[in-house]
Amino acid sequence: MKILIPIKRVNDYNVKVRPNQANTDVDLNNVKMAMNPFCEIAVEEAIRLKEAGKADEIVVVTIGDDKHQEQLRTALALGADRAILVKTDNPVQPLDVAKVLAKVYAAENPNLVIMGKVGIDGDHNQTGQMFAALTGLPQATFASEINVDGNKVEVTREIDGGLETLSAEMPAVITTDLRLNEPRYASLPNIMKAKRKPLEEMDLESLGVTIDEKVSTLKVESPPERQEGVKVETVDQLVDKLRNEAKVI
Amino acid sequence: MKTLVLAEHNDTSLSAATLSVVEAAKQLGREVDLLLTHNSCTSVLEEAKSVEGVSKVLNFSHEKFSSEVAEDVAACVVSVSAEYDFFLASSSTSGKNNLPRVAALLDIQQISEVTDIIDEKTFKKPIYAGSCIATVQSSQEKNALTIRTTSFDKVPNSGGSASVEDKEVPEPDTRKSDFVKNELTVSDRPELTSADIVISGGRGMQNGDNFALLEAVAGKLNAAVGASRAAVDSGFVPNDYQVGQTGKSVAPNLYIAVGISGAIQHLAGMKDSKTIVAINKDEEAPIFKVADYGLVADLFEALPELESKL
């Protein structure tokens, strides 16, 4: 079984990102970049399937400029077998990404596609579902457990009221939620070995996908700050404030 | 052209989130229709007809909708899409699952988690876990929006008189994925995202059993119980309790954070609450920076006392 893992390069999740001076975009100058945490979970799950003897090849793919090689090398160091960089210097939106991935999917023919449910930058939560739509594949989003059995995959999904389990025919698209697994760290020998693993580059234009900015960003601002309130000394005071001042109980 | 809202329900009643999405839909200034997929849920259909501001209910009733699969819902939406130039769903897990599939099939770049409708092409939405607010503009003729429901009032689910149009379910017999089972959290408490009062516990609760202290206070206030990611990751409570960037966004009238330090990712999910109370024994905890009322106290003493005084 072959697994395709699309990944995204984003800000390190520990960094608080702020608007730039002109309020036209976020300021990512000197911000540490990393693999999107949900994508790390996707890579980890694929490696575990391979370790369990259920998968034999893991291909990672991302879209962007040369710097995106870093995240592909990280995935290779973790255990992916080969990587594809679809090169473009232009920003891409989820629908564009889904179209590019559909082309890569057609060329690679994987049995399973596992990807993060959301990028922690744009907070779109769209790409997996859009990719599944364009390829006509079944989708199982927000996975907290994945069991491959023959040509079917059973996925437990985190939904608002609790958990839901779906069974999908493969090939299928799965997006990962936080509790699916805890990703490992790459060891130094594996980081060295990853440098010799194959990383193929192709131009986005050569795939026949046209990028158009259907949604543009006019302004990026900080959210309104909340005023710090008062400290109360006792539970009685608290109850009194809630009853008589805030009038919320 | 009109606006289509994807209705959500639990087989007996409409989700409160849908009522907020209808409010957002009304702000777009077009006729609003509701798309309902269900398996003979008469009470939901009756409620859908009564939602204020809805002109028509597109009624997709079929056995297979005893469970919801995105592929089926998307096919229904696409089958009626010609009449609509806006497609709206809530930013619940259901809306997030279904709407991008619809959008891609219609070649629309969706806009997620809309908190403000400025005009019919311009919207505000949080990015970077709420660290920034982006104003975005669409150049598309048709648009798909998921709505952050805490940013919009709910329309009443009574007083309306929508017509009902029965619809054929496209390709009713094909299904590449199928429902196996649900394990839903059973609670007498109100639902987290629509409750007027929410009381949440963090790592300071120390274990899952101690959440009984929160439950007791919640019982007095008719509040929903939530948790921080730290509490969920520590295994105190299930993930569907989680309030924050990777959990649910809530904006109740009163939010009580107990034993929660106030990590950015938690604040992202609750800082739009009207009144915030923090109870924490660490007076330096960042949660106090956003709290209207802070009580520096040991929660194991403060919670029973609070319960007895309500």
PDB file of all heavy atoms in Angstrom, chain A residues 114-137:
ATOM      1  N   ILE A 114      -3.324  10.910   3.626  1.00  0.00           N
ATOM      2  CA  ILE A 114      -3.538  11.394   4.996  1.00  0.00           C
ATOM      3  C   ILE A 114      -2.951  12.790   5.086  1.00  0.00           C
ATOM      4  O   ILE A 114      -1.799  13.011   4.691  1.00  0.00           O
ATOM      5  CB  ILE A 114      -2.868  10.476   6.050  1.00  0.00           C
ATOM      6  CG1 ILE A 114      -3.242   9.008   5.823  1.00  0.00           C
ATOM      7  CG2 ILE A 114      -3.267  10.901   7.460  1.00  0.00           C
ATOM      8  CD1 ILE A 114      -2.585   8.038   6.804  1.00  0.00           C
ATOM      9  N   MET A 115      -3.722  13.746   5.579  1.00  0.00           N
ATOM     10  CA  MET A 115      -3.227  15.125   5.681  1.00  0.00           C
ATOM     11  C   MET A 115      -3.793  15.814   6.915  1.00  0.00           C
ATOM     12  O   MET A 115      -4.763  15.352   7.505  1.00  0.00           O
ATOM     13  CB  MET A 115      -3.553  15.907   4.405  1.00  0.00           C
ATOM     14  CG  MET A 115      -5.002  15.865   3.986  1.00  0.00           C
ATOM     15  SD  MET A 115      -5.203  16.123   2.190  1.00  0.00           S
ATOM     16  CE  MET A 115      -4.818  17.869   2.078  1.00  0.00           C
ATOM     17  N   GLY A 116      -3.164  16.903   7.323  1.00  0.00           N
ATOM     18  CA  GLY A 116      -3.619  17.643   8.491  1.00  0.00           C
ATOM     19  C   GLY A 116      -4.998  18.224   8.255  1.00  0.00           C
ATOM     20  O   GLY A 116      -5.356  18.583   7.143  1.00  0.00           O
ATOM     21  N   LYS A 117      -5.798  18.344   9.324  1.00  0.00           N
ATOM     22  CA  LYS A 117      -7.161  18.852   9.141  1.00  0.00           C
ATOM     23  C   LYS A 117      -7.158  20.352   8.868  1.00  0.00           C
ATOM     24  O   LYS A 117      -8.070  20.884   8.264  1.00  0.00           O
ATOM     25  CB  LYS A 117      -8.028  18.547  10.365  1.00  0.00           C
ATOM     26  CG  LYS A 117      -7.734  19.376  11.605  1.00  0.00           C
ATOM     27  CD  LYS A 117      -8.861  19.267  12.652  1.00  0.00           C
ATOM     28  CE  LYS A 117      -8.534  20.090  13.883  1.00  0.00           C
ATOM     29  NZ  LYS A 117      -9.570  20.042  14.904  1.00  0.00           N
ATOM     30  N   VAL A 118      -6.124  21.044   9.339  1.00  0.00           N
ATOM     31  CA  VAL A 118      -6.118  22.505   9.203  1.00  0.00           C
ATOM     32  C   VAL A 118      -4.683  22.994   9.304  1.00  0.00           C
ATOM     33  O   VAL A 118      -3.856  22.378   9.972  1.00  0.00           O
ATOM     34  CB  VAL A 118      -7.012  23.139  10.305  1.00  0.00           C
ATOM     35  CG1 VAL A 118      -6.459  22.909  11.699  1.00  0.00           C
ATOM     36  CG2 VAL A 118      -7.252  24.627  10.082  1.00  0.00           C
ATOM     37  N   GLY A 119      -4.368  24.076   8.603  1.00  0.00           N
ATOM     38  CA  GLY A 119      -3.084  24.744   8.783  1.00  0.00           C
ATOM     39  C   GLY A 119      -3.248  25.761   9.899  1.00  0.00           C
ATOM     40  O   GLY A 119      -4.264  26.462   9.940  1.00  0.00           O
ATOM     41  N   ILE A 120      -2.261  25.846  10.787  1.00  0.00           N
ATOM     42  CA  ILE A 120      -2.426  26.763  11.915  1.00  0.00           C
ATOM     43  C   ILE A 120      -2.166  28.212  11.509  1.00  0.00           C
ATOM     44  O   ILE A 120      -2.173  29.104  12.335  1.00  0.00           O
ATOM     45  CB  ILE A 120      -1.523  26.376  13.105  1.00  0.00           C
ATOM     46  CG1 ILE A 120      -0.040  26.427  12.707  1.00  0.00           C
ATOM     47  CG2 ILE A 120      -1.895  24.999  13.641  1.00  0.00           C
ATOM     48  CD1 ILE A 120       0.899  26.437  13.897  1.00  0.00           C
ATOM     49  N   ASP A 121      -1.947  28.453  10.215  1.00  0.00           N
ATOM     50  CA  ASP A 121      -1.756  29.832   9.746  1.00  0.00           C
ATOM     51  C   ASP A 121      -3.088  30.429   9.272  1.00  0.00           C
ATOM     52  O   ASP A 121      -3.648  31.310   9.894  1.00  0.00           O
ATOM     53  CB  ASP A 121      -0.665  29.902   8.666  1.00  0.00           C
ATOM     54  CG  ASP A 121      -0.830  28.843   7.574  1.00  0.00           C
ATOM     55  OD1 ASP A 121      -1.790  28.039   7.630  1.00  0.00           O
ATOM     56  OD2 ASP A 121      -0.009  28.836   6.640  1.00  0.00           O
ATOM     57  N   GLY A 122      -3.613  29.912   8.160  1.00  0.00           N
ATOM     58  CA  GLY A 122      -4.848  30.478   7.613  1.00  0.00           C
ATOM     59  C   GLY A 122      -6.104  29.993   8.305  1.00  0.00           C
ATOM     60  O   GLY A 122      -7.180  30.578   8.135  1.00  0.00           O
ATOM     61  N   ASP A 123      -6.000  28.908   9.092  1.00  0.00           N
ATOM     62  CA  ASP A 123      -7.171  28.330   9.774  1.00  0.00           C
ATOM     63  C   ASP A 123      -8.325  28.031   8.821  1.00  0.00           C
ATOM     64  O   ASP A 123      -9.488  28.224   9.166  1.00  0.00           O
ATOM     65  CB  ASP A 123      -7.678  29.276  10.894  1.00  0.00           C
ATOM     66  CG  ASP A 123      -6.711  29.347  12.073  1.00  0.00           C
ATOM     67  OD1 ASP A 123      -5.869  28.452  12.200  1.00  0.00           O
ATOM     68  OD2 ASP A 123      -6.821  30.304  12.869  1.00  0.00           O
ATOM     69  N   HIS A 124      -8.007  27.534   7.619  1.00  0.00           N
ATOM     70  CA  HIS A 124      -9.072  27.297   6.640  1.00  0.00           C
ATOM     71  C   HIS A 124      -9.861  26.008   6.911  1.00  0.00           C
ATOM     72  O   HIS A 124     -11.073  25.982   6.790  1.00  0.00           O
ATOM     73  CB  HIS A 124      -8.497  27.214   5.228  1.00  0.00           C
ATOM     74  CG  HIS A 124      -7.848  28.470   4.759  1.00  0.00           C
ATOM     75  ND1 HIS A 124      -8.551  29.615   4.525  1.00  0.00           N
ATOM     76  CD2 HIS A 124      -6.555  28.767   4.484  1.00  0.00           C
ATOM     77  CE1 HIS A 124      -7.719  30.575   4.120  1.00  0.00           C
ATOM     78  NE2 HIS A 124      -6.497  30.080   4.088  1.00  0.00           N
ATOM     79  N   ASN A 125      -9.137  24.919   7.180  1.00  0.00           N
ATOM     80  CA  ASN A 125      -9.789  23.615   7.337  1.00  0.00           C
ATOM     81  C   ASN A 125     -10.602  23.257   6.093  1.00  0.00           C
ATOM     82  O   ASN A 125     -11.808  23.012   6.155  1.00  0.00           O
ATOM     83  CB  ASN A 125     -10.687  23.617   8.590  1.00  0.00           C
ATOM     84  CG  ASN A 125     -11.010  22.203   9.060  1.00  0.00           C
ATOM     85  OD1 ASN A 125     -11.112  21.285   8.243  1.00  0.00           O
ATOM     86  ND2 ASN A 125     -11.178  22.026  10.352  1.00  0.00           N
ATOM     87  N   GLN A 126      -9.946  23.262   4.925  1.00  0.00           N
ATOM     88  CA  GLN A 126     -10.656  23.013   3.669  1.00  0.00           C
ATOM     89  C   GLN A 126      -9.961  22.014   2.748  1.00  0.00           C
ATOM     90  O   GLN A 126     -10.630  21.298   1.999  1.00  0.00           O
ATOM     91  CB  GLN A 126     -10.776  24.330   2.857  1.00  0.00           C
ATOM     92  CG  GLN A 126     -11.520  25.440   3.544  1.00  0.00           C
ATOM     93  CD  GLN A 126     -11.479  26.733   2.747  1.00  0.00           C
ATOM     94  OE1 GLN A 126     -11.026  26.763   1.605  1.00  0.00           O
ATOM     95  NE2 GLN A 126     -11.940  27.804   3.345  1.00  0.00           N
ATOM     96  N   THR A 127      -8.635  22.010   2.753  1.00  0.00           N
ATOM     97  CA  THR A 127      -7.909  21.387   1.646  1.00  0.00           C
ATOM     98  C   THR A 127      -8.225  19.898   1.478  1.00  0.00           C
ATOM     99  O   THR A 127      -8.447  19.432   0.358  1.00  0.00           O
ATOM    100  CB  THR A 127      -6.392  21.616   1.809  1.00  0.00           C
ATOM    101  OG1 THR A 127      -6.180  23.016   1.976  1.00  0.00           O
ATOM    102  CG2 THR A 127      -5.631  21.133   0.590  1.00  0.00           C
ATOM    103  N   GLY A 128      -8.271  19.148   2.589  1.00  0.00           N
ATOM    104  CA  GLY A 128      -8.547  17.709   2.481  1.00  0.00           C
ATOM    105  C   GLY A 128      -9.905  17.430   1.867  1.00  0.00           C
ATOM    106  O   GLY A 128     -10.050  16.580   0.980  1.00  0.00           O
ATOM    107  N   GLN A 129     -10.910  18.185   2.345  1.00  0.00           N
ATOM    108  CA  GLN A 129     -12.266  17.986   1.851  1.00  0.00           C
ATOM    109  C   GLN A 129     -12.356  18.362   0.360  1.00  0.00           C
ATOM    110  O   GLN A 129     -13.052  17.699  -0.429  1.00  0.00           O
ATOM    111  CB  GLN A 129     -13.258  18.848   2.653  1.00  0.00           C
ATOM    112  CG  GLN A 129     -13.363  18.521   4.147  1.00  0.00           C
ATOM    113  CD  GLN A 129     -12.347  19.269   4.991  1.00  0.00           C
ATOM    114  OE1 GLN A 129     -11.156  19.311   4.677  1.00  0.00           O
ATOM    115  NE2 GLN A 129     -12.799  19.858   6.091  1.00  0.00           N
ATOM    116  N   MET A 130     -11.668  19.468  -0.009  1.00  0.00           N
ATOM    117  CA  MET A 130     -11.708  19.908  -1.413  1.00  0.00           C
ATOM    118  C   MET A 130     -11.008  18.898  -2.324  1.00  0.00           C
ATOM    119  O   MET A 130     -11.500  18.571  -3.411  1.00  0.00           O
ATOM    120  CB  MET A 130     -11.027  21.269  -1.540  1.00  0.00           C
ATOM    121  CG  MET A 130     -11.857  22.378  -0.909  1.00  0.00           C
ATOM    122  SD  MET A 130     -11.081  23.983  -1.141  1.00  0.00           S
ATOM    123  CE  MET A 130     -12.553  25.026  -1.185  1.00  0.00           C
ATOM    124  N   PHE A 131      -9.871  18.415  -1.847  1.00  0.00           N
ATOM    125  CA  PHE A 131      -9.124  17.412  -2.621  1.00  0.00           C
ATOM    126  C   PHE A 131      -9.974  16.153  -2.802  1.00  0.00           C
ATOM    127  O   PHE A 131     -10.038  15.581  -3.897  1.00  0.00           O
ATOM    128  CB  PHE A 131      -7.808  17.116  -1.901  1.00  0.00           C
ATOM    129  CG  PHE A 131      -7.114  15.885  -2.369  1.00  0.00           C
ATOM    130  CD1 PHE A 131      -6.508  15.845  -3.620  1.00  0.00           C
ATOM    131  CD2 PHE A 131      -7.066  14.748  -1.576  1.00  0.00           C
ATOM    132  CE1 PHE A 131      -5.865  14.693  -4.064  1.00  0.00           C
ATOM    133  CE2 PHE A 131      -6.434  13.596  -2.003  1.00  0.00           C
ATOM    134  CZ  PHE A 131      -5.834  13.572  -3.256  1.00  0.00           C
ATOM    135  N   ALA A 132     -10.658  15.736  -1.738  1.00  0.00           N
ATOM    136  CA  ALA A 132     -11.523  14.549  -1.834  1.00  0.00           C
ATOM    137  C   ALA A 132     -12.636  14.792  -2.853  1.00  0.00           C
ATOM    138  O   ALA A 132     -12.975  13.908  -3.649  1.00  0.00           O
ATOM    139  CB  ALA A 132     -12.111  14.213  -0.462  1.00  0.00           C
ATOM    140  N   ALA A 133     -13.185  15.997  -2.863  1.00  0.00           N
ATOM    141  CA  ALA A 133     -14.252  16.330  -3.812  1.00  0.00           C
ATOM    142  C   ALA A 133     -13.738  16.248  -5.248  1.00  0.00           C
ATOM    143  O   ALA A 133     -14.383  15.667  -6.123  1.00  0.00           O
ATOM    144  CB  ALA A 133     -14.798  17.724  -3.528  1.00  0.00           C
ATOM    145  N   LEU A 134     -12.569  16.838  -5.498  1.00  0.00           N
ATOM    146  CA  LEU A 134     -12.049  16.907  -6.874  1.00  0.00           C
ATOM    147  C   LEU A 134     -11.640  15.537  -7.405  1.00  0.00           C
ATOM    148  O   LEU A 134     -11.669  15.304  -8.609  1.00  0.00           O
ATOM    149  CB  LEU A 134     -10.850  17.867  -6.945  1.00  0.00           C
ATOM    150  CG  LEU A 134     -11.149  19.331  -6.583  1.00  0.00           C
ATOM    151  CD1 LEU A 134      -9.886  20.170  -6.680  1.00  0.00           C
ATOM    152  CD2 LEU A 134     -12.246  19.910  -7.479  1.00  0.00           C
ATOM    153  N   THR A 135     -11.257  14.640  -6.517  1.00  0.00           N
ATOM    154  CA  THR A 135     -10.849  13.302  -6.951  1.00  0.00           C
ATOM    155  C   THR A 135     -12.000  12.301  -6.828  1.00  0.00           C
ATOM    156  O   THR A 135     -11.837  11.139  -7.206  1.00  0.00           O
ATOM    157  CB  THR A 135      -9.676  12.793  -6.086  1.00  0.00           C
ATOM    158  OG1 THR A 135      -9.990  13.015  -4.707  1.00  0.00           O
ATOM    159  CG2 THR A 135      -8.383  13.522  -6.424  1.00  0.00           C
ATOM    160  N   GLY A 136     -13.128  12.751  -6.273  1.00  0.00           N
ATOM    161  CA  GLY A 136     -14.276  11.851  -6.097  1.00  0.00           C
ATOM    162  C   GLY A 136     -14.050  10.791  -5.035  1.00  0.00           C
ATOM    163  O   GLY A 136     -14.737   9.769  -5.006  1.00  0.00           O
ATOM    164  N   LEU A 137     -13.094  11.030  -4.132  1.00  0.00           N
ATOM    165  CA  LEU A 137     -12.788  10.041  -3.094  1.00  0.00           C
ATOM    166  C   LEU A 137     -13.646  10.275  -1.858  1.00  0.00           C
ATOM    167  O   LEU A 137     -14.050  11.402  -1.585  1.00  0.00           O
ATOM    168  CB  LEU A 137     -11.306  10.140  -2.699  1.00  0.00           C
ATOM    169  CG  LEU A 137     -10.275   9.809  -3.774  1.00  0.00           C
ATOM    170  CD1 LEU A 137      -8.869  10.021  -3.232  1.00  0.00           C
ATOM    171  CD2 LEU A 137     -10.446   8.378  -4.263  1.00  0.00           C
TER     172      LEU A 137
END
